Amino acid sequence: MAPRRREHDAHAVELVEVAELDDDFDAGPATGRATGSGGAHQGGTAAGRARDGSSSTGAERTSGGAEAPGERGRARGRPVRVVVAVVLLVCGVGASLAVGAVLERARADRVAAQAGGLWPVASEPASLWRASTGEGLPAAVDGQVVLTGPEGTATARDITTGDELWTAHLPPGATTCGPDLLDPAVHGSPLVCVTDRGASAGAGPRDDGFPFLVTVLDRTGQVVGSRVLSDGAEAATPLAGGRVATAVRGADAVVVTWEGALDGAVERVRTVGVAPAPVDAVGSTGAEETSTADAPVEDVGLVAARGLLHVRSGDVSETFDAAGDPSSEFSSAQARGWLQEGGLPGGSSARVVDDRRTGQEDRVDVVGPDGRQRFSVDGEPFVPQVTDSGIPQVLVVRMPGFTGYDATTGQRLWHREEWPEVLWLQTDDVVVMESGSRLLAVETRTGREVWQRWLPTEIVRVFTDGDSVLLATIGDELRGTDGASTSVVSVNLFDGRTEWRRTLDGEYYEVVSAQGVLFAVTRTEVVRLGRGTRRDRVGDLSHR
């Protein structure tokens, strides 16, 4: 069972359980007790209690004191009271276990629902099933992985078992369905497929002005509705949330539109400037003069992956997030964290101020739901790629070094002089970041170092099940390969030890999470990683 130091419940048995977890959390790996001060995490977890079957209660910890005055005079009444106490204790332990199991399941649900979150992964995952990806990236919606085949076929497989659920036949043409498997925002999304009818033989000329057909399907494969994209759309791709993105190229810019898949309601419009060809002093481009009719037109490309929309036209490219805001190539839809509206305690929001033209340094203003500013801290927001689903109680900023602030009051809690490149994970207990060639974990509320380990390989993505951080890396630190293989390494959050490692040899695999489970994706197939039992979904608590 995962440590939960600050979860509260009105029920008394839950208070007892939290106290038990605190004792286990402070236990050292060798002696069973912490060797440091301040109750720091030294690697003790609830796993020790789960393995030996023992359980410590508050009554047991407070026993052993001197007999109270007059106790001997009440000795005759003691047996009955002892029996009653034992009955209450047994009932209390049973209730505590039941409540603990419910809370643990609820916690697992919350973690798995997050971008990068997983159901508990207790041991090295095996390959449960695999399928050909056909002509494009697989999509994932509502417990299904959807694969596109030749000439517009779409086949859905059960996300857990790989069983085929349905096959739909769409109009001929190159079809892309979404949201793609790499997109973290797939929960509850309808399946949207975009078919390029002009890319199919016999489908008519590409310049008829109506090349793209949008089709929306429900989870049984039935068509909900369809719409032809008009107005000369040159590129289109499906997005999460029942939307599509379209692109039209003008004389000096590409106009990108986010719109409803079926109703065409425009949500956002962005313009991507296209640089004109360079000219010399006499106005010549240096290229052969051609007529306007013969001049080549740069293709416009739209690719949606990981919740990001990549726009390309010639040498010009730009990336936008799901809301249509500019985003860097490295960033991810996972990386908004506490920058989301109302993502701080009490429904407060963060406002980032960065105006270097006026000499204004990076600053984060925290504003309450009423619009009033609560506090302000200097520094660049250091937002985690992955969380354990909780509202952050600590804000981390870089300024240089990095500093933790109380997310409610703005009080400075700690400061460290390192300058880490990526904040991979933040939970209520531990912050895990990459600095140089090290992976560093510090206590979220104190900044005290918990563990660190060297990184001989490159981390490309992380996931968490709440108790471990799973690192997807390129190359194999044991074999020293040149990056041809991908590994998944599970590292314990509280002591940094390696729990298991899975190396995927051969063709490059991209490891992703979708709806709480792991997948490995190549150019030709998708592989479901897991244990193949029910505990793969709800977790094997006896091993945690």
Side-chain angles (χ1 to χ4, degrees), residues 332-478:
S332 160
Q334 300 176 200
R336 290 190 60 83
W338 49 268
L339 290 180
Q340 296 181 20
E341 188 73 21
L344 295 177
S348 294
S349 300
R351 302 284 187 269
V352 180
V353 179
D354 180 12
D355 191 354
R356 294 173 184 162
R357 294 172 299 177
T358 61
Q360 173 65 56
E361 296 181 354
D362 291 336
R363 188 180 79 242
V364 178
D365 295 336
V366 174
V367 181
D370 56 2
R372 297 182 180 180
Q373 182 170 319
R374 300 294 172 85
F375 61 86
S376 179
V377 298
D378 291 331
E380 171 195 0
F382 201 29
V383 182
Q385 295 285 309
V386 181
T387 72
D388 65 348
S389 78
I391 295 176
Q393 302 303 312
V394 176
L395 304 185
V396 183
V397 300
R398 295 188 290 193
M399 56 181 297
F402 62 106
T403 308
Y405 292 91
D406 186 289
T408 301
T409 66
Q411 177 186 1
R412 174 169 158 163
L413 302 176
W414 50 265
H415 176 76
R416 295 182 65 96
E417 291 299 330
E418 293 99 342
W419 186 266
E421 292 86 7
V422 186
L423 201 171
W424 284 116
L425 171 68
Q426 179 173 338
T427 73
D428 199 36
D429 297 296
V430 183
V431 172
V432 179
M433 61 198 70
E434 184 176 350
S435 179
S437 297
R438 296 180 306 153
L439 197 64
L440 175 68
V442 302
E443 285 186 337
T444 306
R445 294 179 183 257
T446 67
R448 186 191 70 85
E449 182 176 313
V450 180
W451 53 265
Q452 64 172 285
R453 57 185 293 166
W454 293 103
L455 293 173
T457 56
E458 177 188 358
I459 299 176
V460 293
R461 196 153 294 108
V462 302
F463 315 96
T464 188
D465 61 4
D467 296 328
S468 308
V469 55
L470 280 67
L471 314 174
T473 66
I474 298 296
D476 193 322
E477 62 183 271
L478 298 180

Side-chain angles (χ1 to χ4, degrees), residues 12 31 54 82 137 154 156 159 276 318 335 367 378 406 444 483 499:
T31 63
S54 64
V82 169
L137 286 174
I159 203 168
E318 191 159 350
V367 181
D378 291 331
D406 186 289
T444 306
E499 296 173 318

Side-chain angles (χ1 to χ4, degrees), residues 14-392:
E14 174 57 11
L15 297 179
V16 172
E17 186 181 32
V18 171
E20 294 171 4
L21 292 174
D22 278 339
D23 277 1
D24 287 333
F25 204 38
D26 293 335
T31 63
R33 285 293 167 193
T35 56
S37 60
H41 306 167
Q42 298 292 336
T45 67
R49 184 176 68 252
R51 283 192 297 268
D52 62 21
S54 64
S55 178
S56 173
T57 67
E60 289 169 341
R61 285 195 294 274
T62 56
S63 64
E67 195 172 39
E71 184 67 18
R72 294 175 183 174
R74 295 192 295 270
R76 296 179 62 182
R78 179 177 296 168
V80 174
R81 292 173 182 172
V82 169
V83 170
V84 172
V86 169
V87 171
L88 291 175
L89 180 60
V90 171
C91 292
V93 170
S96 178
L97 293 174
V99 172
V102 171
L103 292 175
E104 178 65 10
R105 175 55 190 266
R107 175 178 178 267
D109 288 345
R110 291 195 304 271
V111 173
Q114 300 302 301
L118 297 170
W119 300 107
V121 186
S123 57
E124 178 184 347
S127 298
L128 295 184
W129 59 267
R130 62 182 64 223
S132 171
T133 55
E135 298 182 346
L137 286 174
V141 290
D142 296 330
Q144 301 175 1
V145 176
V146 181
L147 308 168
T148 56
E151 293 304 309
T153 59
T155 300
R157 293 180 178 272
D158 185 276
I159 203 168
T160 301
T161 65
D163 295 338
E164 185 174 320
L165 301 176
W166 53 262
T167 296
H169 297 278
L170 302 175
T175 298
T176 302
C177 296
D180 70 274
L181 184 68
L182 285 63
D183 190 340
V186 299
H187 291 275
S189 294
L191 182 68
V192 179
C193 296
V194 175
T195 301
D196 184 352
R197 299 181 299 168
S200 176
R206 181 72 168 81
D207 59 352
D208 63 359
F210 304 93
F212 294 103
L213 175 69
V214 177
T215 307
V216 177
L217 300 91
D218 64 18
R219 67 185 321 273
T220 66
Q222 298 300 309
V223 175
V224 175
S226 61
R227 178 172 71 98
V228 174
L229 296 181
S230 58
D231 297 331
E234 297 180 50
T237 191
L239 302 173
R243 301 175 299 160
V244 295
T246 64
V248 177
R249 180 186 172 94
D252 55 0
V254 174
V255 178
V256 183
T257 305
W258 285 254
E259 57 188 71
L262 290 181
D263 60 14
V266 175
E267 297 181 5
R268 194 78 179 262
V269 177
R270 286 287 189 181
T271 300
V272 179
V274 178
V279 297
D280 58 21
V282 296
S284 171
T285 63
E288 262 186 53
E289 294 295 332
T290 58
S291 67
T292 304
D294 295 333
V297 177
E298 296 286 358
D299 287 338
V300 177
L302 288 180
V303 177
R306 297 191 178 283
L308 300 176
L309 179 64
H310 305 276
V311 183
R312 177 194 54 78
S313 179
D315 294 334
V316 177
S317 63
E318 191 159 350
T319 300
F320 300 94
D321 64 17
D325 295 322
S327 180
S328 66
E329 288 286 337
F330 177 77
S331 68
S332 160
Q334 300 176 200
R336 290 190 60 83
W338 49 268
L339 290 180
Q340 296 181 20
E341 188 73 21
L344 295 177
S348 294
S349 300
R351 302 284 187 269
V352 180
V353 179
D354 180 12
D355 191 354
R356 294 173 184 162
R357 294 172 299 177
T358 61
Q360 173 65 56
E361 296 181 354
D362 291 336
R363 188 180 79 242
V364 178
D365 295 336
V366 174
V367 181
D370 56 2
R372 297 182 180 180
Q373 182 170 319
R374 300 294 172 85
F375 61 86
S376 179
V377 298
D378 291 331
E380 171 195 0
F382 201 29
V383 182
Q385 295 285 309
V386 181
T387 72
D388 65 348
S389 78
I391 295 176

